[in-house]
Amino acid sequence: EIVLTQSPGTLSLSPGERATLSCRASQSVSSSYLAWYQQKPGQAPRLLIYGASSRATGIPDRFSGSGSGTDFTLTISRLEPEDFAVYYCQQYGSSLPITFGQGTRLEIK
Amino acid sequence: QVQLVQSGTEVKKPGASVKVSCKASGYTFSTYGFSWVRQAPGQGLEWMGWISAYNGDTNFAQNLQGRVTMTTDTSTSTAYMELRSLRSDDTAVYYCARSLGYCSGTSCYTSYFDYWGQGTLVTVSS
């Protein structure tokens, strides 16, 4: 099983700042099968990024993903008030079970 | 537009079973599969398994093998997840999510989850 470790656990920033979230895998994620989701309280997760760097439909371009192998990053270039939420990384593909990181909480400073 | 609408809140006693439904619309049902994901109160996301809506192939998380069944009904475009022998630590919000995938022989591939249902709270309590 591939274990995903996200850091930091909590990130405190102000609107307009840049956010950098990390996801590290216990073994290489094949073909960059790495996705990022955003979850707000009481809501289902929403797909942001798939294939490590491809934005999902309707996702603003301030969200970007990068990385390969075992190290991946989600960057939010300029935080908007609606971006404060919990973010999860996920590895998918043939390396079952599908696993998620434990989440990074992005809170308003 | 793609929508996944799940059934409502359930309260069950330990040892009972629960069956959650997920009705899909806005796309051709059989061209995608469904993963089921659960989230215990205040916790992260746990993948439970995947089912193909094309041919019923399934793949389950090892810790749930033998307790979980996933099915689909193409006539109503609905996916179902049944969990048996419920325990208190099964208390969670259960989500269905659309994903591509396939199985070949003993291995399966499951893609990312592009649309999610709204979630169904299942509470297990005596």
Side-chain angles (χ1 to χ4, degrees):
Chain A
E1 169 174 328
I2 296 178
V3 176
L4 300 178
T5 302
Q6 293 186 238
S7 62
T10 301
L11 186 57
S12 300
L13 293 170
S14 300
E17 291 193 292
R18 180 185 186 90
T20 303
L21 287 67
S22 174
C23 177
R24 178 162 291 178
S26 60
Q27 56 189 279
S28 185
V29 176
S30 60
S31 304
S32 295
Y33 288 149
L34 194 286
W36 289 92
Y37 298 85
Q38 176 194 68
Q39 187 178 34
K40 297 180 180 179
Q43 296 184 16
R46 177 174 72 143
L47 175 68
L48 299 175
I49 301 287
Y50 63 92
S53 61
S54 297
R55 269 188 303 277
T57 303
I59 301 303
D61 60 7
R62 64 179 181 274
F63 290 91
S64 63
S66 62
S68 63
T70 60
D71 289 296
F72 298 88
T73 301
L74 174 70
T75 302
I76 310 171
S77 59
R78 291 176 310 280
L79 285 167
E80 298 287 343
E82 62 267 27
D83 298 337
F84 292 92
V86 179
Y87 291 83
Y88 294 95
C89 59
Q90 174 210 40
Q91 66 84 25
Y92 57 92
S94 301
S95 297
L96 298 179
I98 289 171
T99 52
F100 292 89
Q102 81 280 16
T104 289
R105 180 178 305 277
L106 178 56
E107 63 177 27
I108 299 177
K109 188 173 182 180
Chain B
Q1 72 285 18
V2 175
Q3 280 194 305
L4 303 179
V5 179
Q6 298 184 222
S7 50
T9 298
E10 300 269 10
V11 180
K12 297 292 183 180
K13 293 195 182 303
S17 299
V18 69
K19 191 170 186 176
V20 179
S21 67
C22 171
K23 184 170 177 59
S25 61
Y27 70 98
T28 302
F29 182 75
S30 59
T31 58
Y32 286 82
F34 294 87
S35 275
W36 289 86
V37 175
R38 68 180 180 178
Q39 186 170 37
Q43 302 301 308
L45 302 169
E46 178 190 11
W47 178 75
M48 300 177 66
W50 173 85
I51 181 168
S52 166
Y54 174 69
N55 60 10
D57 281 347
T58 54
N59 188 273
F60 302 123
Q62 197 159 13
N63 66 322
L64 293 172
Q65 290 265 11
R67 283 209 301 142
V68 66
T69 301
M70 295 179 186
T71 56
T72 60
D73 182 343
T74 55
S75 69
T76 59
S77 299
T78 303
Y80 298 91
M81 184 284 300
E82 182 178 31
L83 189 61
R84 299 177 294 278
S85 302
L86 289 168
R87 310 185 292 244
S88 58
D89 62 357
D90 291 318
T91 293
V93 175
Y94 289 74
Y95 295 101
C96 62
R98 190 182 81 161
S99 64
L100 291 169
Y102 63 86
C103 292
S104 178
T106 58
S107 65
C108 293
Y109 163 90
T110 304
S111 188
Y112 53 85
F113 309 159
D114 59 356
Y115 288 92
W116 295 64
Q118 84 277 16
T120 296
L121 174 62
V122 176
T123 301
V124 183
S125 173
S126 55

